[in-house]
Structure formats: structure tokens, C-alpha cells
Amino acid sequence: MARIIKNKPVLRSCTQFLHSQASLIFPYTSTRSIETLAFEEVRSPSHKPIPDYSAFVLHGLIGSARNWRSFSRNLASSLSTFSPPSDWKMVLVDLRNHGQSAGVSGLHPPHDIVNAANDLANLVKARDWSWPDVVLGHSMGGKVALQYALSCARGDYGSAAKLPKQPPWDASFFRENACYEFMTHFKPNEQLWVLDSVPGIVDPEESNGDVEKVLETLQTLPKTIPSRTWLVDHLTNLGFTRSLSEWIGTNLKKEGEQFTWAFNLEGIIQMFDSYRKMDYWPLLEHPPKGMEIVMVRAENSDRWDQHVINKLESLKNRTSDESEGKLSVVVLPKSGHWVHVDNPKGLLEIVTPKMASLS
């Protein structure tokens, strides 16, 4: 198997999880009759009925929207007090097979990165939202964000606007994918944030196998778990760190006297396999005009081989013309892979000024 593994804003985080038409739930949920992703909303402390901007926040493998709740709350608050201040809506998504989206029967296979990105577009359409100004994805969520960009470029989600002109590139990749000026849905001057996610193919021979070990271990566990304490003790006895074991335990939900997984394990394994195989280097080599792709690499992350770091740096330093967008590469100091936990303040200081520049 492939390798795995000082004003606070008003948090209006009603989980939006509607299987069919239902009554209005304060403050944001409206009726709909199709099944889409579960999500939460975090808003800046503003009285505006409609925010100035919106951002999608995408978690990583075996994660959920709530993992990013605290950071998103602080980010919304920071943007509201930055100069110039702006009002943001953060949409924290439970990706398919994760969190409350694991119970959505309408999210059909194949469980891969392409369909995970399609789910985002379906959510926008079902809610009748404007397309997001920013998409921010961590780990596997970073690749979902990159795929979302490419799928928009191909017109997979329909045409919200006509393509302005033919692409200036000759590369066959862009002829095949019609990756023009970020084309159908993203408006000019948009941002795509990829947080500690290797953009190319992940070779299991070049990685430490930690995620694969986690998933293989989860497959050996009984379908019902006696308690979180039992799970944490069992995993630590198998050699996993206590912090990792406790984090895995947050994915349990109680059913009667026992616990079951809140995620769909087989679907998650399929998504990781897809994540490992997807390659988005061509997109980084030719960012669409009007768009900035920001690659954030954690200083102490174990996900990056030196040749990948060197390739990113060479692309960052390459001179590009006005026909293309921009690629930025930023190193988050004093952080491992879990950027929002290891150094949330540092990450906030990186993200806030760039997002504020859109206003």
C-alpha cells in the first residue's frame, strides 16, 4: 500500500450538514435538497450581512474542519484589524470521507483528489455562493486546492465567465488542460495557499512511511473501540507517540456504549493513494495570470526531500513575464508538518498581510 500518513471575532460555526430540505438553522444554513460537504463558517467581527471576501480552508488526511477552527478565527480577526481592514468569511470544509462529510451518501467514488476538488465546486453551486477569493489547504488539502485550480481552468465546473484569451504557453500540459488566466471561476488577483504539501508525486521509497503505518494500523483495529483511553494506550503500546495517538482519538464518535470512527477509513486510504500520485509541478511552473500560488514549507517538516526544496527555490527565483501569475515560496520557522499547531502565530504573520493585500 502507498505511504500515508484584541478582539476575538464572532465564531459563527454552525456545522452545515443537510441531507435534504430542512428548516432554517441560524445563522447561515438555508434549505437545499442535494447532499454536499459538511462545513463550518467563521466570520470577522462585523455587522455586514455579506462579507467582503471569502476563503476555503481545507484540512489534511484524517483531519477535519475543526482542526482549523482556532487558526481561522484568529485569521479572520487579524484581517479585520489589519490595514486596510476587511471582512472575511472562512469556510472550513470537512473533505469527503472525513468528519461529518463521512456520513454524506451522495459523495460517490472514486475517492480521489479530483473528486475532492469537485466537491468544493458542488458546495459553492449548492449554496449559491460567489467563488472564493482564497483557497488555503494543508497537506492533502493543499493538493485538493491545486486540483480545484486546474479543474476551474479546464472549465469542469461550468463557465462563470468566458475565457479571456488563449494561453501563451506552448507546453502540451497546458494545451491539454486549457489552463489559462485562472479562468472560469477565480477572479483576478486570487491566492492559492499550499501549506506543507509536496506538489509532485510522492515516492514511498523517499519517505519515512509514518502515514502508511498509521493507516495500516487502523485497518487492524476492531470496528468498535471500547474507549478513547483504550485507543490511546493501544496505539502508544504499538510505538506511536502519545500526541499522535490522542489526535487520532479525536476522530472517534460515540455510539451507545462504544466508539466508532468518524471517518471512512477505506475512502481515506483511496484518497491518500490519489494524493501520492498527483503531480502539480506544471501548474507551479506556469501559474495562471492574475493568481498567486503561495507554497509554505515548514522548516522542520519531514515531508521534503532536498531535491524538491531545490526545485521549488529555482522556480521561485525564475523570472516570469506578465502573461503568467506568481509563485511564492515561504519557509515557516520553528514548525513541523502541523503548521497550525507548531507555529500558528508565525503562520498568521505570513498569511495575514498577503490576504489583506487583496482588499
Side-chain angles (χ1 to χ4, degrees):
M1 184 177 67
R3 175 185 178 265
I4 324 289
I5 281 258
K6 221 165 175 211
N7 298 322
K8 292 186 177 179
V10 178
L11 172 62
R12 303 174 182 179
S13 60
C14 290
T15 299
Q16 320 289 315
F17 186 47
L18 304 179
H19 290 289
S20 58
Q21 290 191 345
S23 59
L24 184 68
I25 301 176
F26 180 83
Y28 293 114
T29 305
S30 60
T31 60
R32 56 190 168 95
S33 58
I34 64 172
E35 293 183 308
T36 57
L37 296 172
F39 66 94
E40 300 180 4
E41 287 187 10
V42 172
R43 284 285 303 273
S44 303
S46 168
H47 297 294
K48 293 183 180 180
I50 301 176
D52 300 320
Y53 304 95
S54 65
F56 275 14
V57 181
L58 313 179
H59 61 80
L61 194 77
I62 323 182
S64 67
R66 65 181 179 180
N67 298 150
W68 284 86
R69 190 182 293 160
S70 177
F71 178 82
S72 298
R73 182 190 297 121
N74 292 332
L75 178 58
S77 179
S78 180
L79 287 165
S80 71
T81 58
F82 203 82
S83 180
S86 52
D87 182 35
W88 282 79
K89 175 180 74 174
M90 309 291 174
V91 179
L92 286 57
V93 174
D94 276 341
L95 296 174
R96 59 168 53 214
N97 299 304
H98 293 76
Q100 296 201 49
S101 291
V104 178
S105 60
L107 303 177
H108 302 297
H111 297 300
D112 55 22
I113 298 301
V114 172
N115 275 327
N118 291 346
D119 295 338
L120 302 178
N122 290 336
L123 177 60
V124 171
K125 292 177 181 180
R127 303 296 301 178
D128 196 26
W129 287 335
S130 297
W131 297 89
D133 302 281
V134 170
V135 179
L136 184 151
H138 172 241
S139 195
M140 182 187 71
K143 277 197 168 179
V144 174
L146 289 166
Q147 179 59 49
Y148 177 68
L150 282 183
S151 293
C152 280
R154 288 196 298 257
D156 292 351
Y157 307 146
S159 223
K162 291 183 179 179
L163 302 182
K165 63 181 181 179
Q166 293 297 314
W169 309 281
D170 293 326
S172 61
F173 177 89
F174 288 95
R175 288 199 300 268
E176 293 168 1
N177 291 286
C179 194
Y180 314 161
E181 296 177 73
F182 209 54
M183 312 226 216
T184 42
H185 295 317
F186 278 100
K187 296 161 281 188
N189 303 315
E190 303 308 326
Q191 294 176 2
L192 187 74
W193 290 80
V194 182
L195 307 181
D196 211 55
S197 181
V198 177
I201 295 171
V202 179
D203 187 346
E205 298 301 322
E206 297 180 357
S207 54
N208 58 24
D210 285 347
V211 183
E212 180 182 48
K213 183 180 177 183
V214 168
L215 294 185
E216 288 176 340
T217 299
L218 294 182
Q219 286 181 297
T220 67
L221 297 179
K223 291 185 177 181
T224 58
I225 308 297
S227 68
R228 286 191 174 88
T229 300
W230 179 92
L231 177 68
V232 172
D233 290 344
H234 181 74
L235 293 177
T236 53
N237 288 336
L238 292 176
F240 294 102
T241 65
R242 189 162 193 85
S243 59
L244 176 60
S245 301
E246 290 175 344
W247 177 73
I248 293 173
T250 65
N251 287 284
L252 290 175
K253 62 180 180 179
K254 192 164 187 178
E255 290 191 356
E257 297 300 316
Q258 304 227 334
F259 290 83
T260 60
W261 295 114
F263 51 65
N264 173 7
L265 181 56
E266 290 306 313
I268 282 178
I269 291 171
Q270 294 172 41
M271 291 179 74
F272 175 76
D273 189 53
S274 173
Y275 158 84
R276 186 179 62 84
K277 294 176 180 177
M278 300 303 288
D279 182 12
Y280 297 101
W281 281 115
L283 180 63
L284 301 189
E285 291 165 357
H286 300 281
K289 184 177 179 180
M291 176 187 179
E292 181 176 8
I293 301 176
V294 187
M295 299 290 298
V296 178
R297 178 175 66 84
E299 180 181 34
N300 301 323
S301 175
D302 59 359
R303 308 300 169 96
W304 300 85
D305 293 319
Q306 190 59 48
H307 71 89
V308 177
I309 295 174
N310 294 341
K311 186 172 183 177
L312 264 185
E313 291 298 319
S314 67
L315 289 178
K316 180 188 72 171
N317 297 325
R318 189 185 62 174
T319 302
S320 60
D321 56 38
E322 294 182 354
S323 66
E324 295 183 358
K326 179 182 180 181
L327 171 67
S328 299
V329 180
V330 184
V331 177
L332 176 63
K334 301 177 182 178
S335 176
H337 180 64
W338 310 103
V339 292
H340 56 306
V341 175
D342 294 346
N343 189 1
K345 183 176 182 293
L347 183 60
L348 197 67
E349 291 171 350
I350 290 171
V351 175
T352 300
K354 277 191 176 292
M355 285 183 61
S357 69
L358 295 178
S359 60

